[in-house]
Amino acid sequence: MLRAALGRRRDAERDFGRLGRTVALDALREVPAYRAWSDELRGATERLRFL
């Protein structure tokens, strides 16, 4: 999956830009570590009244 999203070359700036355009956040929420990070971030921003 990562190779399909990023291709073979490795250039962090280009890779993360492409990854951001090709990975659906709904699909990413299926990854437990991302879901935990996202939930923690949302909770923190709510406690700080940013949301």
Side-chain angles (χ1 to χ4, degrees):
M1 179 174 142
L2 191 58
R3 180 175 285 166
L6 299 178
R8 292 179 185 231
R9 291 183 47 220
R10 294 292 180 251
D11 172 12
E13 188 173 333
R14 183 185 64 84
D15 290 347
F16 285 115
R18 179 185 279 176
L19 187 61
R21 290 186 305 274
T22 58
V23 174
L25 292 180
D26 291 342
L28 196 53
R29 291 239 354 124
E30 297 297 317
V31 177
Y34 176 80
R35 187 172 47 248
W37 174 82
S38 179
D39 292 344
E40 185 176 326
L41 178 62
R42 181 165 185 87
T45 56
E46 287 174 348
R47 285 190 298 279
L48 293 170
R49 298 183 183 189
F50 292 151
L51 291 178

